PDB file of all heavy atoms in Angstrom:
ATOM      1  N   ASN A1224     -37.851  49.059 -60.742  1.00  0.00           N
ATOM      2  CA  ASN A1224     -37.369  49.185 -62.112  1.00  0.00           C
ATOM      3  C   ASN A1224     -38.270  48.359 -63.012  1.00  0.00           C
ATOM      4  O   ASN A1224     -38.485  47.172 -62.765  1.00  0.00           O
ATOM      5  CB  ASN A1224     -35.929  48.688 -62.208  1.00  0.00           C
ATOM      6  CG  ASN A1224     -34.967  49.591 -61.469  1.00  0.00           C
ATOM      7  OD1 ASN A1224     -35.176  50.791 -61.372  1.00  0.00           O
ATOM      8  ND2 ASN A1224     -33.909  49.024 -60.954  1.00  0.00           N
ATOM      9  N   GLU A1225     -38.785  49.004 -64.048  1.00  0.00           N
ATOM     10  CA  GLU A1225     -39.683  48.308 -64.964  1.00  0.00           C
ATOM     11  C   GLU A1225     -39.682  49.018 -66.316  1.00  0.00           C
ATOM     12  O   GLU A1225     -39.619  50.241 -66.378  1.00  0.00           O
ATOM     13  CB  GLU A1225     -41.107  48.282 -64.384  1.00  0.00           C
ATOM     14  CG  GLU A1225     -42.043  47.383 -65.119  1.00  0.00           C
ATOM     15  CD  GLU A1225     -43.354  47.162 -64.385  1.00  0.00           C
ATOM     16  OE1 GLU A1225     -43.554  47.718 -63.293  1.00  0.00           O
ATOM     17  OE2 GLU A1225     -44.191  46.420 -64.924  1.00  0.00           O
ATOM     18  N   LEU A1226     -39.760  48.231 -67.379  1.00  0.00           N
ATOM     19  CA  LEU A1226     -39.858  48.756 -68.737  1.00  0.00           C
ATOM     20  C   LEU A1226     -41.219  48.369 -69.281  1.00  0.00           C
ATOM     21  O   LEU A1226     -41.607  47.197 -69.233  1.00  0.00           O
ATOM     22  CB  LEU A1226     -38.751  48.168 -69.627  1.00  0.00           C
ATOM     23  CG  LEU A1226     -38.788  48.526 -71.113  1.00  0.00           C
ATOM     24  CD1 LEU A1226     -38.657  50.034 -71.327  1.00  0.00           C
ATOM     25  CD2 LEU A1226     -37.698  47.775 -71.861  1.00  0.00           C
ATOM     26  N   PHE A1227     -41.966  49.339 -69.797  1.00  0.00           N
ATOM     27  CA  PHE A1227     -43.310  49.092 -70.291  1.00  0.00           C
ATOM     28  C   PHE A1227     -43.327  48.974 -71.815  1.00  0.00           C
ATOM     29  O   PHE A1227     -42.404  49.427 -72.494  1.00  0.00           O
ATOM     30  CB  PHE A1227     -44.252  50.214 -69.847  1.00  0.00           C
ATOM     31  CG  PHE A1227     -44.286  50.377 -68.361  1.00  0.00           C
ATOM     32  CD1 PHE A1227     -43.714  51.481 -67.759  1.00  0.00           C
ATOM     33  CD2 PHE A1227     -44.866  49.415 -67.546  1.00  0.00           C
ATOM     34  CE1 PHE A1227     -43.726  51.643 -66.381  1.00  0.00           C
ATOM     35  CE2 PHE A1227     -44.884  49.555 -66.170  1.00  0.00           C
ATOM     36  CZ  PHE A1227     -44.313  50.672 -65.592  1.00  0.00           C
ATOM     37  N   GLN A1228     -44.399  48.402 -72.329  1.00  0.00           N
ATOM     38  CA  GLN A1228     -44.588  48.293 -73.769  1.00  0.00           C
ATOM     39  C   GLN A1228     -44.818  49.678 -74.356  1.00  0.00           C
ATOM     40  O   GLN A1228     -45.536  50.490 -73.757  1.00  0.00           O
ATOM     41  CB  GLN A1228     -45.785  47.386 -74.082  1.00  0.00           C
ATOM     42  CG  GLN A1228     -45.970  47.104 -75.563  1.00  0.00           C
ATOM     43  CD  GLN A1228     -44.795  46.340 -76.153  1.00  0.00           C
ATOM     44  OE1 GLN A1228     -44.394  45.319 -75.634  1.00  0.00           O
ATOM     45  NE2 GLN A1228     -44.250  46.854 -77.245  1.00  0.00           N
ATOM     46  N   ASN A1229     -44.179  49.956 -75.474  1.00  0.00           N
ATOM     47  CA  ASN A1229     -44.380  51.245 -76.132  1.00  0.00           C
ATOM     48  C   ASN A1229     -45.830  51.382 -76.592  1.00  0.00           C
ATOM     49  O   ASN A1229     -46.504  50.396 -76.890  1.00  0.00           O
ATOM     50  CB  ASN A1229     -43.414  51.421 -77.313  1.00  0.00           C
ATOM     51  CG  ASN A1229     -43.654  50.431 -78.427  1.00  0.00           C
ATOM     52  OD1 ASN A1229     -43.587  49.217 -78.207  1.00  0.00           O
ATOM     53  ND2 ASN A1229     -43.917  50.922 -79.618  1.00  0.00           N
ATOM     54  N   THR A1230     -46.311  52.629 -76.632  1.00  0.00           N
ATOM     55  CA  THR A1230     -47.661  52.900 -77.128  1.00  0.00           C
ATOM     56  C   THR A1230     -47.622  54.114 -78.033  1.00  0.00           C
ATOM     57  O   THR A1230     -46.950  55.091 -77.701  1.00  0.00           O
ATOM     58  CB  THR A1230     -48.654  53.166 -75.968  1.00  0.00           C
ATOM     59  OG1 THR A1230     -48.175  54.235 -75.171  1.00  0.00           O
ATOM     60  CG2 THR A1230     -48.860  51.928 -75.120  1.00  0.00           C
ATOM     61  N   PRO A1231     -48.285  54.105 -79.165  1.00  0.00           N
ATOM     62  CA  PRO A1231     -48.963  52.918 -79.693  1.00  0.00           C
ATOM     63  C   PRO A1231     -47.941  51.934 -80.261  1.00  0.00           C
ATOM     64  O   PRO A1231     -46.802  52.286 -80.545  1.00  0.00           O
ATOM     65  CB  PRO A1231     -49.835  53.484 -80.809  1.00  0.00           C
ATOM     66  CG  PRO A1231     -49.112  54.710 -81.285  1.00  0.00           C
ATOM     67  CD  PRO A1231     -48.433  55.268 -80.046  1.00  0.00           C
ATOM     68  N   ASN A1232     -48.382  50.729 -80.420  1.00  0.00           N
ATOM     69  CA  ASN A1232     -47.569  49.685 -81.033  1.00  0.00           C
ATOM     70  C   ASN A1232     -48.512  48.745 -81.767  1.00  0.00           C
ATOM     71  O   ASN A1232     -49.365  48.150 -81.124  1.00  0.00           O
ATOM     72  CB  ASN A1232     -46.783  48.911 -79.972  1.00  0.00           C
ATOM     73  CG  ASN A1232     -45.773  47.954 -80.578  1.00  0.00           C
ATOM     74  OD1 ASN A1232     -45.151  48.264 -81.573  1.00  0.00           O
ATOM     75  ND2 ASN A1232     -45.640  46.787 -79.991  1.00  0.00           N
ATOM     76  N   PRO A1233     -48.388  48.629 -83.072  1.00  0.00           N
ATOM     77  CA  PRO A1233     -47.409  49.240 -83.976  1.00  0.00           C
ATOM     78  C   PRO A1233     -47.647  50.749 -84.131  1.00  0.00           C
ATOM     79  O   PRO A1233     -48.695  51.260 -83.808  1.00  0.00           O
ATOM     80  CB  PRO A1233     -47.618  48.505 -85.295  1.00  0.00           C
ATOM     81  CG  PRO A1233     -48.934  47.844 -85.204  1.00  0.00           C
ATOM     82  CD  PRO A1233     -49.289  47.715 -83.766  1.00  0.00           C
ATOM     83  N   PHE A1234     -46.623  51.435 -84.668  1.00  0.00           N
ATOM     84  CA  PHE A1234     -46.722  52.876 -84.900  1.00  0.00           C
ATOM     85  C   PHE A1234     -46.051  53.216 -86.224  1.00  0.00           C
ATOM     86  O   PHE A1234     -45.248  52.453 -86.747  1.00  0.00           O
ATOM     87  CB  PHE A1234     -46.098  53.665 -83.744  1.00  0.00           C
ATOM     88  CG  PHE A1234     -44.593  53.590 -83.668  1.00  0.00           C
ATOM     89  CD1 PHE A1234     -43.809  54.631 -84.142  1.00  0.00           C
ATOM     90  CD2 PHE A1234     -43.960  52.484 -83.126  1.00  0.00           C
ATOM     91  CE1 PHE A1234     -42.425  54.576 -84.057  1.00  0.00           C
ATOM     92  CE2 PHE A1234     -42.575  52.432 -83.034  1.00  0.00           C
ATOM     93  CZ  PHE A1234     -41.808  53.473 -83.514  1.00  0.00           C
ATOM     94  N   SER A1235     -46.395  54.410 -86.746  1.00  0.00           N
ATOM     95  CA  SER A1235     -45.781  54.841 -88.003  1.00  0.00           C
ATOM     96  C   SER A1235     -45.071  56.184 -87.861  1.00  0.00           C
ATOM     97  O   SER A1235     -44.242  56.522 -88.699  1.00  0.00           O
ATOM     98  CB  SER A1235     -46.842  54.945 -89.100  1.00  0.00           C
ATOM     99  OG  SER A1235     -47.836  55.873 -88.726  1.00  0.00           O
ATOM    100  N   ASP A1236     -45.373  56.935 -86.827  1.00  0.00           N
ATOM    101  CA  ASP A1236     -44.783  58.259 -86.677  1.00  0.00           C
ATOM    102  C   ASP A1236     -43.996  58.372 -85.370  1.00  0.00           C
ATOM    103  O   ASP A1236     -42.780  58.427 -85.387  1.00  0.00           O
ATOM    104  CB  ASP A1236     -45.882  59.326 -86.736  1.00  0.00           C
ATOM    105  CG  ASP A1236     -45.339  60.741 -86.753  1.00  0.00           C
ATOM    106  OD1 ASP A1236     -44.228  60.953 -87.270  1.00  0.00           O
ATOM    107  OD2 ASP A1236     -46.023  61.635 -86.225  1.00  0.00           O
ATOM    108  N   VAL A1237     -44.692  58.417 -84.239  1.00  0.00           N
ATOM    109  CA  VAL A1237     -44.080  58.591 -82.923  1.00  0.00           C
ATOM    110  C   VAL A1237     -44.684  57.587 -81.955  1.00  0.00           C
ATOM    111  O   VAL A1237     -45.866  57.280 -82.022  1.00  0.00           O
ATOM    112  CB  VAL A1237     -44.321  60.024 -82.393  1.00  0.00           C
ATOM    113  CG1 VAL A1237     -43.798  60.190 -80.985  1.00  0.00           C
ATOM    114  CG2 VAL A1237     -43.679  61.048 -83.311  1.00  0.00           C
ATOM    115  N   THR A1238     -43.844  57.076 -81.050  1.00  0.00           N
ATOM    116  CA  THR A1238     -44.314  56.181 -79.997  1.00  0.00           C
ATOM    117  C   THR A1238     -43.723  56.639 -78.673  1.00  0.00           C
ATOM    118  O   THR A1238     -42.710  57.343 -78.650  1.00  0.00           O
ATOM    119  CB  THR A1238     -43.952  54.707 -80.298  1.00  0.00           C
ATOM    120  OG1 THR A1238     -44.654  53.854 -79.399  1.00  0.00           O
ATOM    121  CG2 THR A1238     -42.460  54.458 -80.193  1.00  0.00           C
ATOM    122  N   THR A1239     -44.360  56.240 -77.586  1.00  0.00           N
ATOM    123  CA  THR A1239     -43.895  56.590 -76.247  1.00  0.00           C
ATOM    124  C   THR A1239     -43.492  55.321 -75.505  1.00  0.00           C
ATOM    125  O   THR A1239     -44.242  54.350 -75.483  1.00  0.00           O
ATOM    126  CB  THR A1239     -45.004  57.324 -75.459  1.00  0.00           C
ATOM    127  OG1 THR A1239     -45.383  58.496 -76.178  1.00  0.00           O
ATOM    128  CG2 THR A1239     -44.528  57.712 -74.081  1.00  0.00           C
ATOM    129  N   ILE A1240     -42.313  55.364 -74.917  1.00  0.00           N
ATOM    130  CA  ILE A1240     -41.816  54.240 -74.131  1.00  0.00           C
ATOM    131  C   ILE A1240     -41.802  54.685 -72.673  1.00  0.00           C
ATOM    132  O   ILE A1240     -41.145  55.665 -72.321  1.00  0.00           O
ATOM    133  CB  ILE A1240     -40.399  53.816 -74.575  1.00  0.00           C
ATOM    134  CG1 ILE A1240     -40.441  53.330 -76.024  1.00  0.00           C
ATOM    135  CG2 ILE A1240     -39.843  52.748 -73.636  1.00  0.00           C
ATOM    136  CD1 ILE A1240     -39.086  53.059 -76.621  1.00  0.00           C
ATOM    137  N   GLY A1241     -42.529  53.963 -71.839  1.00  0.00           N
ATOM    138  CA  GLY A1241     -42.590  54.279 -70.424  1.00  0.00           C
ATOM    139  C   GLY A1241     -41.712  53.330 -69.624  1.00  0.00           C
ATOM    140  O   GLY A1241     -41.513  52.173 -69.997  1.00  0.00           O
ATOM    141  N   PHE A1242     -41.180  53.834 -68.522  1.00  0.00           N
ATOM    142  CA  PHE A1242     -40.397  52.994 -67.623  1.00  0.00           C
ATOM    143  C   PHE A1242     -40.424  53.619 -66.240  1.00  0.00           C
ATOM    144  O   PHE A1242     -40.686  54.805 -66.076  1.00  0.00           O
ATOM    145  CB  PHE A1242     -38.952  52.822 -68.119  1.00  0.00           C
ATOM    146  CG  PHE A1242     -38.188  54.101 -68.340  1.00  0.00           C
ATOM    147  CD1 PHE A1242     -37.373  54.629 -67.348  1.00  0.00           C
ATOM    148  CD2 PHE A1242     -38.283  54.777 -69.561  1.00  0.00           C
ATOM    149  CE1 PHE A1242     -36.658  55.803 -67.559  1.00  0.00           C
ATOM    150  CE2 PHE A1242     -37.578  55.949 -69.778  1.00  0.00           C
ATOM    151  CZ  PHE A1242     -36.762  56.470 -68.776  1.00  0.00           C
ATOM    152  N   SER A1243     -40.216  52.798 -65.226  1.00  0.00           N
ATOM    153  CA  SER A1243     -40.129  53.324 -63.867  1.00  0.00           C
ATOM    154  C   SER A1243     -38.805  52.900 -63.256  1.00  0.00           C
ATOM    155  O   SER A1243     -38.267  51.838 -63.571  1.00  0.00           O
ATOM    156  CB  SER A1243     -41.303  52.867 -63.006  1.00  0.00           C
ATOM    157  OG  SER A1243     -41.256  51.480 -62.772  1.00  0.00           O
ATOM    158  N   LEU A1244     -38.301  53.755 -62.389  1.00  0.00           N
ATOM    159  CA  LEU A1244     -37.020  53.520 -61.729  1.00  0.00           C
ATOM    160  C   LEU A1244     -37.202  53.592 -60.218  1.00  0.00           C
ATOM    161  O   LEU A1244     -37.938  54.440 -59.718  1.00  0.00           O
ATOM    162  CB  LEU A1244     -35.999  54.575 -62.157  1.00  0.00           C
ATOM    163  CG  LEU A1244     -35.677  54.672 -63.648  1.00  0.00           C
ATOM    164  CD1 LEU A1244     -34.798  55.883 -63.920  1.00  0.00           C
ATOM    165  CD2 LEU A1244     -35.006  53.399 -64.125  1.00  0.00           C
ATOM    166  N   SER A1245     -36.496  52.732 -59.504  1.00  0.00           N
ATOM    167  CA  SER A1245     -36.581  52.741 -58.047  1.00  0.00           C
ATOM    168  C   SER A1245     -35.771  53.883 -57.439  1.00  0.00           C
ATOM    169  O   SER A1245     -36.011  54.275 -56.303  1.00  0.00           O
ATOM    170  CB  SER A1245     -36.110  51.403 -57.476  1.00  0.00           C
ATOM    171  OG  SER A1245     -34.768  51.159 -57.846  1.00  0.00           O
ATOM    172  N   LYS A1246     -34.818  54.423 -58.207  1.00  0.00           N
ATOM    173  CA  LYS A1246     -34.025  55.568 -57.742  1.00  0.00           C
ATOM    174  C   LYS A1246     -33.501  56.322 -58.962  1.00  0.00           C
ATOM    175  O   LYS A1246     -33.540  55.819 -60.082  1.00  0.00           O
ATOM    176  CB  LYS A1246     -32.867  55.115 -56.844  1.00  0.00           C
ATOM    177  CG  LYS A1246     -31.889  54.164 -57.503  1.00  0.00           C
ATOM    178  CD  LYS A1246     -30.838  53.719 -56.491  1.00  0.00           C
ATOM    179  CE  LYS A1246     -29.867  52.742 -57.130  1.00  0.00           C
ATOM    180  NZ  LYS A1246     -28.825  52.317 -56.207  1.00  0.00           N
ATOM    181  N   ASP A1247     -33.031  57.539 -58.742  1.00  0.00           N
ATOM    182  CA  ASP A1247     -32.443  58.325 -59.827  1.00  0.00           C
ATOM    183  C   ASP A1247     -31.327  57.507 -60.476  1.00  0.00           C
ATOM    184  O   ASP A1247     -30.542  56.864 -59.774  1.00  0.00           O
ATOM    185  CB  ASP A1247     -31.845  59.623 -59.301  1.00  0.00           C
ATOM    186  CG  ASP A1247     -32.883  60.580 -58.732  1.00  0.00           C
ATOM    187  OD1 ASP A1247     -34.082  60.257 -58.750  1.00  0.00           O
ATOM    188  OD2 ASP A1247     -32.486  61.661 -58.254  1.00  0.00           O
TER     189      ASP A1247
END
């Protein structure tokens, strides 16, 4: 389980937040 930094950051329109999970 991990939460990543959003990219891009800073942003003005849309950003992507990545994360991983050890199970569903």
Side-chain angles (χ1 to χ4, degrees):
N1224 292 329
E1225 191 169 0
L1226 175 61
F1227 303 109
Q1228 186 63 52
N1229 65 301
T1230 56
N1232 188 38
F1234 71 101
S1235 59
D1236 187 30
V1237 175
T1238 192
T1239 302
I1240 297 172
F1242 56 94
S1243 67
L1244 301 172
S1245 60
K1246 59 184 179 179
D1247 295 359

